[in-house]
Each structure stands twice: as structure tokens, then as C-alpha cells.
């Protein structure tokens, strides 16, 4: 077993003994003590896709024409429609403010009116990344020419009043874990990208990316992640720390840390992350944005993905997250992609320049993405997961309407008087509000109070055997990570293993000492926990927790240059996020405001997590959007970071170019 002491023997100045690392060993995982002699009668559940029953959702409807990304986005817009909802529901702050972060609807309205163009936005992004030192480690492999070509193609579509959707011309970014045309998949390593060539065609990129590109969204490029996504702290001393835009002394969380940064800073309207234990929700929480982990199986992914990992959006508002979720969602849900696997091309293509250089070439990319998505929609869905059939899944749903009609609220009784959450029950497990920092608990309790004021009934629930759940998630996460193709290949030879971060090597060395008996016991616990949570959901529609147990992680001295593996901090970040990952449940991280950090004095975001029943992503989104609107009406401003890109929809002289849709 690799430990900080053993790895340091015979090493020099950069040894693991000098690094800010705690040993990650079997004693800390506690698998032998918890699992070895424990008799668990349940059958193992190796799939992360949740079982039934599929209970009807209140206020939500199936999406008509769900095989089309454009139809799904139209359904999301209909849910947000109704005057008052669209006018304020998807906008975080005044779009005429040079410091505001525009929403998807702001971008679309500005482009339609001609007061801004996709070209303006592209140049703002290029300038910010070139000049802002603090953003140096958020995006890697940035290609300004490709972004400009995409923007020019989008501008040409708007010039003839033919945008592909409200996402046309809207900038987004993609976590390095997700395959994207013309880029390498490095997964946070310094060497993996050199082992393969760029993704060679649009049909080989991740289905979620192809869907967004088919709707005209502008892909900025890849965002930084922690190596192989194995930790939630966001420390990567080889690639540079993705520093939190709220405070450069703190990390952005992980492993989708770069995605959290670009959204919080307004560099991208939204970003794609992956979440196997909180890797979307944790950076969303500490960066002050919205993060959604959909029901496991609702997003298409590649077959090699393990049973915990789900693709999800990070956005500045719940409305934007809903639009992006709708664009990316697999209508019948499938764990495997109907598109061509990227592996077929990664190892064979020469490392040539693949991305567009002109508007015409960028339009060809968009057309190719649309053709790939259309072909995938009519293809036979592969088996969704081991022993399960995608045809048995519930259809994709979205809220029928997120907020009440404008006439019921504006200038009259207000949102709290309208009671939009009447008939909905919120479950609270009290210990979850006690085992966290005081500021976190106070913010979370205030969020629960607002849900009650909005009409929801708050009830107590019991969630037993959470220590077994934690160990089951850890064992499953580590063993499945070690068996994924890229990780297994990197771990197979001493030459590649030596290129990994010390913290990565420690985790994988520990994983290699776990046994099939441990994994089987973990899957028995998964089945058992699924039943515990099903019983809890018998008395409530959603369960509410803090998203993380702390305000954020300070980058302690030496960590940025030498690395950090701190188990206590890891536990504080993942304490409330791992249940939804192990059980495949939908979960949303929603920013509540900011609070002062005790050690640094910096004001850092607080966040509330909403966990839903299996396949009830629409309910989670509806409740989140109502709570977000309630926060605004109650006077709670969304947390805007100190480091953010100037609003690209506002001219240099400060004249507003954006506006409400």
C-alpha cells in the first residue's frame, strides 16, 4: 500500500513526504471494519440507474417530440413562460449592468435586436482570457480562431433571422472528462492527451455536446478538472490550481472546478460537468452557481463510464440549467451513447488541425452535429445498464409552468402570497443541519424557511446507516475508477504511473487493495440504501440538505505547488452529495448568498441541495426555480464574484446592449 512515508523513500526535494498530503488508506476508508463481517441480506445492485416505482410528478408533464433537442428546449421555455417568469425567472441581475452575468435569454434577445453580436461576445472572451491572470487555470487549450469561426457562423444565422434556438451564439465550456470534437480528452492529466489524437469528428463527441452544438451554442473549449476526477478539492499542482473567482485564496472545488469558475465569472453562460460524488454540485456550491446532477441514466454517456458518473450542467440560474438540461437529456434515458464511440478515432487520427477556421467551416460543424443527433434519435437505444431495458424508463418530463401567471403575482399578492409550492412536501434530516459549519447551517435553514413560506410543508425524515452508505460509495467509486479504460492504462505501467499526481497514486494504490468482496458488499448496501431512501420519500417529495458542510477550502501554504490530499476537507465537501450519486437520484445545488470565512474573512457562497425521487428531475428543477425566485423577492442577491468578465452585452461606454426577453 502506498503511503506518504513509503513513497518518500529514496526520493528528493519533491517527495510526497514534503507534499501537503494525508495518507489515504484502508483505515480511513474503513471498508474492512464496516463490511468484512457485516451480513447484508439484500441482493447486490451494480447499476447506478435507480429502480422504480415511478410515481407521478405534480405540475410536470411529458415532453412532446422529446427526440429533438429543439423540441425539448421549446418545452423548457414554455415552462419558464408567462411574462413574470421569463422577465425575471432566468435572469440573475440587471443585464444593463457591466458587471452582470447575462442569461441565455439575455444573449438571445441582444442578438435578435442587433444590440450585440456573437462576434462581440467571442472577442470579450478572447480578451478576458488573454488579460486576466486569475483565469489562467480555468480553461486549457483555448483556440481563439475556432471560437471566432463559430461566432461568425452564428452571427450569419441571426443576420437572416434564422437562429437555431435560444442557445444560438451562447458560449459554453466542457469539462476535460467529456469528449469534444477537435480536442483531446486529458481527464486532468499532464500526459493522457499526448497518448491519443483529438476527437476526429462530431459524431464521436459526447452526445450532450453534439446536441448543444446542433442548437448553435458556442463551445469555448475544455475546462480544468482534478486528475481523473478522483478528488473534490480542485487542487492540481501540476496543471495549476483553479482558483475560486470569489476568493483567489480558495479552491473552486472539484472535480469540475474549471466549469464552476467559468460560469461564476460570466465567461460562459453555462458549462458541462460530470458528477460521480458531487463533482458538479460541489464546485457549483463553492463558486455560487447552480449545479444539476440528473437522474443516473437520463443523460447518454459512453459505455466505459462507471455506475456513479452523470453528466450535468452548471449555470447562473435554475432557468438556464433547465434549458441546458432539456437540450442534453436523453428522452428515453440511456446510459450508453447512440453516437459513435470516441475510442474508434482517438487512437488512429493524426494530430492535425481539425477545428473550423472560417464561418463556413463552423457551419459545417453545426450541420454535422445536427445530423449526428438526428441519426442517434432514430437509432435503436443500446441496453441502458446491466440487466435493465431503456424502454421501461419513464419519459422525459418538464414543469408545465415554473411560476404562477404574472397577473397573480406582479404588484398584487407577490410570490409568497401565491404559494406556488402548496401541496409539495419537503423532507429534512435534522443531523444534516448540525454536522456542518454554523454559517452553512444558518443559510440552509433560511432556505428551508423560504420553502415553507412559498407553500411547501416541511416534515422530518429519517435516513439510517449513513456511515455504511459513505463507505459503499467510496469503495464503488475507487474500484470503478481504477477499472475505467484510461485510468487502468495509466496505472498499468511504471512509466505512466510515475506521471500521476501523488494523491492520485495514493488513491489508486488503495483501490488496488480492495477486493471483490468489498465491492459486492458495497452494492448490497446500495440496494439497502435505495430502500431506506424510498421509505423517506413516502412522506416527502424532495429532501433538502446543505450542499457542502463548509464554506470552501483554503489553499494552504505549499498546496498550489506541491499538492494536497486532506481527508477531513474531502469529507466536508462530499458529506451531503454522495447519497444522490450512489443511488442515482436527481439533485440540484442552489446558491443562497454569501457568508464570511472564519479563517480568511473572504465572503464565500452558501448553497442548498434539493434531492428528488428517481426520475423526478423536473420536480427538482421546478422547486429550485421557485425558491430562486423567492430569494430574489425576499431581497437576497445572487452571489457575484469579485473576479468576473465584464458583461459582453454592454458596450465599452456602458450603454446597455442586452435586455429582457
Amino acid at each position: 500500500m502506498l503511503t506518504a512515508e513509503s513513497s518518500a523513500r529514496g526520493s528528493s526535494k519533491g517527495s510526497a513526504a514534503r507534499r501537503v498530503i494525508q495518507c489515504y488508506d484502508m483505515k480511513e476508508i474503513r471498508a474492512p471494519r464496516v463490511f468484512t463481517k457485516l451480513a447484508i441480506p439484500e441482493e447486490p445492485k451494480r447499476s447506478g440507474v435507480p429502480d422504480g416505482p415511478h410515481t407521478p410528478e405534480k405540475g410536470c408533464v411529458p415532453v412532446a417530440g422529446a427526440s429533438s433537442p429543439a423540441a425539448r428546449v421549446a418545452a423548457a421555455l414554455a415552462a419558464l413562460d408567462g411574462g413574470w417568469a421569463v422577465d425575471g425567472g432566468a435572469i440573475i441581475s440587471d443585464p444593463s449592468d457591466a458587471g452582470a452575468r447575462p442569461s441565455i435569454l439575455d444573449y438571445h434577445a441582444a442578438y435578435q435586436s442587433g444590440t450585440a453580436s456573437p462576434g462581440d461576445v467571442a472577442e470579450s472572451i478572447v480578451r478576458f482570457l488573454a488579460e486576466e491572470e486569475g483565469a489562467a487555470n480555468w480553461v486549457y487549450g483555448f483556440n481563439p480562431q475556432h471560437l471566432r469561426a463559430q461566432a461568425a457562423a452564428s452571427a450569419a444565422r441571426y443576420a437572416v433571422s434564422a437562429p437555431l434556438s435560444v442557445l444560438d451564439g451562447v458560449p459554453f465550456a466542457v469539462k476535460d472528462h467529456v469528449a469534444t470534437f477537435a480536442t483531446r480528452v486529458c481527464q486532468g492529466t499532464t500526459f493522457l492527451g499526448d497518448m491519443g489524437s483529438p476527437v476526429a469528428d462530431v459524431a464521436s463527441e459526447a452526445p450532450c455536446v453534439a446536441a448543444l452544438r446542433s442548437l448553435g451554442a458556442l463551445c469555448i473549449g475544455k475546462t480544468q478538472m482534478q486528475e481523473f476526477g478522483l478528488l473534490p478539492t480542485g487542487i492540481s499542482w501540476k496543471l495549476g490550481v483553479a482558483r475560486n473567482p470569489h476568493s483567489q485564496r480558495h479552491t473552486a472545488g472539484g472535480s469540475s472546478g474549471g466549469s464552476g469558475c467559468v460560469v461564476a465569472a460570466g465567461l460562459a453562460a453555462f458549462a458541462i460537468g460530470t458528477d460521480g460524488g458531487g463533482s458538479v454540485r460541489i464546485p457549483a456550491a463553492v463558486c455560487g452557481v447552480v449545479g444539476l446532477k440528473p437522474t443516473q441514466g437520463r443523460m447518454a454517456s459512453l459505455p466505459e463510464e462507471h455506475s456513479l458518473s452523470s453528466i450535468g450542467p452548471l449555470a447562473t440560474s435554475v432557468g438556464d440549467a433547465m434549458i441546458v438540461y432539456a437540450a442534453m437529456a436523453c428522452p428515453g434515458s440511456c446510459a450508453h451513447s447512440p453516437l459513435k464511440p470516441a475510442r474508434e478515432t482517438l487512437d488512429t487520427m493524426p494530430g492535425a488541425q481539425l477545428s473550423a477556421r472560417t464561418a463556413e467551416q463552423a457551419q459545417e460543424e453545426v450541420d454535422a452535429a445536427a445530423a449526428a443527433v438526428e441519426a442517434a434519435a432514430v437509432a435503436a437505444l443500446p441496453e441502458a445498464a446491466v440487466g435493465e431495458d431503456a424502454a421501461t424508463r419513464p419519459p422525459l418530463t418538464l414543469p408545465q409552468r415554473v411560476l404562477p401567471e404574472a397577473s397573480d403575482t406582479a404588484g398584487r399578492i407577490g410570490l409568497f402570497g401565491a404559494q406556488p409550492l402548496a401541496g409539495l412536501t419537503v423532507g429534512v434530516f435534522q443531523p444534516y443541519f448540525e454536522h456542518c459549519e454554523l454559517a452553512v447551517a444558518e443559510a440552509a435553514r433560511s432556505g428551508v424557511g423560504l420553502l415553507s413560506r412559498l407553500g411547501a410543508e416541511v416534515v422530518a425524515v429519517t435516513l439510517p446507516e449513513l456511515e455504511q452508505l459513505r463507505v459503499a460509495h467510496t469503495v464503488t467509486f475507487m474500484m470503478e475508477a481504477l477499472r475505467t479504460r484510461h485510468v487502468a492504462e495509466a496505472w498499468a505501467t511504471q512509466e505512466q504511473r510515475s506521471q500521476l499526481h501523488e494523491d492520485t497514486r495514493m488513491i489508486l494504490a488503495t483501490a488496488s487493495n480492495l477486493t471483490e468482496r468489498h465491492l459486492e458488499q458495497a452494492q448490497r448496501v446500495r440496494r439497502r440504501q435505495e430502500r431506506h431512501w424510498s421509505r423517506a420519500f413516502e412522506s416527502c417529495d424532495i429532501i433538502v440538505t446543505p450542499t457542502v458542510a463548509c464554506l470552501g477550502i483554503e489553499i494552504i501554504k505549499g498546496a498550489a505547488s506541491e499538492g494536497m490530499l486532506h481527508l477531513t476537507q474531502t469529507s466536508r465537501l462530499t458529506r451531503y452529495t454522495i447519497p444522490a450519486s450512489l443511488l442515482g437520484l436527481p439533485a440540484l445545488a442552489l446558491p443562497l448568498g454569501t457568508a464570511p470565512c472564519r479563517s480568511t474573512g473572504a465572503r464565500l457562497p452558501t448553497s442548498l441541495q434539493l434531492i428528488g425521487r428517481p426520475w423526478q428531475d423536473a420536480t427538482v428543477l421546478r422547486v429550485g426555480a421557485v425558491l430562486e425566485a423567492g430569494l430574489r423577492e425576499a431581497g437576497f442577491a445572487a452571489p457575484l464574484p469579485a473576479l468576473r468578465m465584464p458583461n459582453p452585452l454592454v458596450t465599452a461606454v456602458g450603454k446597455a446592449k442586452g435586455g429582457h426577453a
Side-chain angles (χ1 to χ4, degrees), residues 36-37 40 74 161 174 207 241 270 385 389 418 440 454 480 504 522 544 547 550 587 596 626 630 641:
T36 302
K37 298 181 180 180
I40 306 173
S161 300
V174 182
V241 179
F270 62 92
D389 183 359
V440 169
L454 290 163
E480 290 187 344
T504 300
V544 177
T547 306
C550 57
V626 171

Side-chain angles (χ1 to χ4, degrees), residues 472-515:
H473 176 272
T474 301
V475 169
T476 304
F477 182 86
M478 293 175 69
M479 293 190 72
E480 290 187 344
L482 184 59
R483 294 175 182 183
T484 56
R485 180 172 69 96
H486 289 310
V487 177
E489 290 175 355
W491 189 247
T493 67
Q494 179 59 38
E495 179 184 358
Q496 292 180 31
R497 194 158 56 239
S498 65
Q499 297 182 66
L500 296 171
H501 291 60
E502 273 90 352
D503 50 12
T504 300
R505 295 209 301 270
M506 288 181 178
I507 293 171
L508 296 180
T510 302
S512 67
N513 282 278
L514 294 168
T515 68

Side-chain angles (χ1 to χ4, degrees), residues 98 102 107 111 116-132 142 147-148 151 171 220 265-268 644-652 657:
Y107 280 107
Y111 296 158
S117 75
D120 297 332
V121 171
E123 291 307 319
S124 295
I125 293 169
V126 171
R127 185 165 54 251
F128 182 80
L129 288 175
E131 298 174 356
E132 182 48 63
F142 176 58
L147 179 61
R148 287 174 173 133
I220 295 173
L267 183 63
R644 60 185 186 272
M645 188 178 82
N647 187 341
L649 304 184
V650 176
T651 65
K657 300 179 82 173

